[in-house]
mmCIF file of all heavy atoms in Angstrom:
data_model
loop_
_atom_site.group_PDB
_atom_site.id
_atom_site.type_symbol
_atom_site.label_atom_id
_atom_site.label_comp_id
_atom_site.label_asym_id
_atom_site.label_seq_id
_atom_site.Cartn_x
_atom_site.Cartn_y
_atom_site.Cartn_z
ATOM 1 N N GLY J 1401 -5.387 14.782 15.999
ATOM 2 C CA GLY J 1401 -6.525 14.867 16.906
ATOM 3 C C GLY J 1401 -6.158 14.703 18.362
ATOM 4 O O GLY J 1401 -6.942 15.019 19.233
ATOM 5 N N THR J 1402 -4.937 14.222 18.629
ATOM 6 C CA THR J 1402 -4.584 13.930 20.021
ATOM 7 C C THR J 1402 -3.569 14.894 20.609
ATOM 8 O O THR J 1402 -3.407 14.957 21.821
ATOM 9 C CB THR J 1402 -3.993 12.511 20.139
ATOM 10 O OG1 THR J 1402 -2.862 12.418 19.265
ATOM 11 C CG2 THR J 1402 -5.022 11.479 19.741
ATOM 12 N N VAL J 1403 -2.892 15.652 19.754
ATOM 13 C CA VAL J 1403 -1.753 16.415 20.270
ATOM 14 C C VAL J 1403 -2.191 17.523 21.229
ATOM 15 O O VAL J 1403 -1.509 17.818 22.206
ATOM 16 C CB VAL J 1403 -0.901 16.974 19.100
ATOM 17 C CG1 VAL J 1403 -1.628 18.094 18.388
ATOM 18 C CG2 VAL J 1403 0.440 17.419 19.577
ATOM 19 N N VAL J 1404 -3.366 18.148 20.974
ATOM 20 C CA VAL J 1404 -3.811 19.222 21.865
ATOM 21 C C VAL J 1404 -4.125 18.663 23.243
ATOM 22 O O VAL J 1404 -3.710 19.213 24.281
ATOM 23 C CB VAL J 1404 -5.048 19.937 21.276
ATOM 24 C CG1 VAL J 1404 -5.645 20.887 22.291
ATOM 25 C CG2 VAL J 1404 -4.678 20.671 20.015
ATOM 26 N N LEU J 1405 -4.837 17.558 23.281
ATOM 27 C CA LEU J 1405 -5.162 16.923 24.568
ATOM 28 C C LEU J 1405 -3.881 16.529 25.293
ATOM 29 O O LEU J 1405 -3.751 16.732 26.505
ATOM 30 C CB LEU J 1405 -6.049 15.699 24.333
ATOM 31 C CG LEU J 1405 -6.487 14.922 25.576
ATOM 32 C CD1 LEU J 1405 -7.131 15.844 26.602
ATOM 33 C CD2 LEU J 1405 -7.454 13.816 25.200
ATOM 34 N N ALA J 1406 -2.931 16.004 24.538
ATOM 35 C CA ALA J 1406 -1.666 15.616 25.168
ATOM 36 C C ALA J 1406 -0.986 16.829 25.795
ATOM 37 O O ALA J 1406 -0.514 16.771 26.942
ATOM 38 C CB ALA J 1406 -0.757 14.967 24.127
ATOM 39 N N CYS J 1407 -0.904 17.927 25.042
ATOM 40 C CA CYS J 1407 -0.283 19.146 25.572
ATOM 41 C C CYS J 1407 -0.963 19.600 26.841
ATOM 42 O O CYS J 1407 -0.326 19.867 27.866
ATOM 43 C CB CYS J 1407 -0.384 20.281 24.550
ATOM 44 S SG CYS J 1407 0.854 20.236 23.290
ATOM 45 N N LEU J 1408 -2.290 19.721 26.770
ATOM 46 C CA LEU J 1408 -3.020 20.225 27.929
ATOM 47 C C LEU J 1408 -2.815 19.311 29.132
ATOM 48 O O LEU J 1408 -2.826 19.760 30.284
ATOM 49 C CB LEU J 1408 -4.508 20.347 27.604
ATOM 50 C CG LEU J 1408 -4.892 21.372 26.535
ATOM 51 C CD1 LEU J 1408 -6.382 21.334 26.268
ATOM 52 C CD2 LEU J 1408 -4.466 22.773 26.956
ATOM 53 N N SER J 1409 -2.627 18.034 28.876
ATOM 54 C CA SER J 1409 -2.515 17.096 29.984
ATOM 55 C C SER J 1409 -1.187 17.201 30.714
ATOM 56 O O SER J 1409 -1.118 16.936 31.913
ATOM 57 C CB SER J 1409 -2.693 15.658 29.481
ATOM 58 O OG SER J 1409 -3.933 15.526 28.838
ATOM 59 N N VAL J 1410 -0.117 17.561 29.998
ATOM 60 C CA VAL J 1410 1.188 17.604 30.671
ATOM 61 C C VAL J 1410 1.537 18.995 31.167
ATOM 62 O O VAL J 1410 2.606 19.202 31.745
ATOM 63 C CB VAL J 1410 2.318 17.067 29.762
ATOM 64 C CG1 VAL J 1410 2.037 15.648 29.357
ATOM 65 C CG2 VAL J 1410 2.498 17.952 28.566
ATOM 66 N N LEU J 1411 0.651 19.973 30.948
ATOM 67 C CA LEU J 1411 1.000 21.340 31.333
ATOM 68 C C LEU J 1411 0.406 21.762 32.675
ATOM 69 O O LEU J 1411 0.283 22.943 32.960
ATOM 70 C CB LEU J 1411 0.577 22.319 30.239
ATOM 71 C CG LEU J 1411 1.576 22.388 29.077
ATOM 72 C CD1 LEU J 1411 1.025 23.241 27.951
ATOM 73 C CD2 LEU J 1411 2.915 22.938 29.537
ATOM 74 N N ASP J 1412 0.048 20.783 33.514
ATOM 75 C CA ASP J 1412 -0.313 21.130 34.891
ATOM 76 C C ASP J 1412 0.851 21.837 35.550
ATOM 77 O O ASP J 1412 0.706 22.760 36.345
ATOM 78 C CB ASP J 1412 -0.660 19.863 35.685
ATOM 79 C CG ASP J 1412 -2.153 19.610 35.640
ATOM 80 O OD1 ASP J 1412 -2.900 20.607 35.685
ATOM 81 O OD2 ASP J 1412 -2.566 18.448 35.571
ATOM 82 N N GLU J 1413 2.034 21.367 35.177
ATOM 83 C CA GLU J 1413 3.265 21.958 35.679
ATOM 84 C C GLU J 1413 3.833 22.814 34.565
ATOM 85 O O GLU J 1413 3.931 22.354 33.429
ATOM 86 C CB GLU J 1413 4.212 20.802 35.971
ATOM 87 C CG GLU J 1413 5.426 21.131 36.781
ATOM 88 C CD GLU J 1413 6.287 19.868 36.856
ATOM 89 O OE1 GLU J 1413 5.735 18.827 37.301
ATOM 90 O OE2 GLU J 1413 7.446 19.908 36.420
ATOM 91 N N PRO J 1414 4.205 24.082 34.835
ATOM 92 C CA PRO J 1414 4.703 24.943 33.755
ATOM 93 C C PRO J 1414 5.930 24.321 33.085
ATOM 94 O O PRO J 1414 6.833 23.838 33.755
ATOM 95 C CB PRO J 1414 5.064 26.245 34.468
ATOM 96 C CG PRO J 1414 4.308 26.225 35.733
ATOM 97 C CD PRO J 1414 4.152 24.795 36.127
ATOM 98 N N ARG J 1415 5.916 24.326 31.747
ATOM 99 C CA ARG J 1415 7.051 23.782 31.003
ATOM 100 C C ARG J 1415 7.382 24.710 29.852
ATOM 101 O O ARG J 1415 6.536 25.468 29.379
ATOM 102 C CB ARG J 1415 6.718 22.407 30.445
ATOM 103 C CG ARG J 1415 6.438 21.354 31.488
ATOM 104 C CD ARG J 1415 6.126 20.041 30.794
ATOM 105 N NE ARG J 1415 5.424 19.135 31.673
ATOM 106 C CZ ARG J 1415 6.029 18.309 32.529
ATOM 107 N NH1 ARG J 1415 7.344 18.285 32.621
ATOM 108 N NH2 ARG J 1415 5.314 17.509 33.303
ATOM 109 N N TYR J 1416 8.637 24.592 29.357
ATOM 110 C CA TYR J 1416 8.997 25.341 28.158
ATOM 111 C C TYR J 1416 9.031 24.403 26.955
ATOM 112 O O TYR J 1416 9.071 23.195 27.107
ATOM 113 C CB TYR J 1416 10.317 26.099 28.349
ATOM 114 C CG TYR J 1416 11.519 25.242 28.624
ATOM 115 C CD1 TYR J 1416 12.358 24.831 27.590
ATOM 116 C CD2 TYR J 1416 11.832 24.860 29.926
ATOM 117 C CE1 TYR J 1416 13.471 24.057 27.847
ATOM 118 C CE2 TYR J 1416 12.928 24.078 30.177
ATOM 119 C CZ TYR J 1416 13.755 23.681 29.146
ATOM 120 O OH TYR J 1416 14.848 22.912 29.400
ATOM 121 N N GLY J 1417 9.031 25.042 25.775
ATOM 122 C CA GLY J 1417 8.798 24.314 24.521
ATOM 123 C C GLY J 1417 9.659 23.080 24.346
ATOM 124 O O GLY J 1417 9.153 21.975 24.108
#
Side-chain angles (χ1 to χ4, degrees):
Chain J
T1402 57
V1403 71
V1404 171
L1405 180 53
C1407 278
L1408 295 177
S1409 302
V1410 301
L1411 279 173
D1412 266 322
E1413 193 185 305
R1415 297 180 199 274
Y1416 61 94

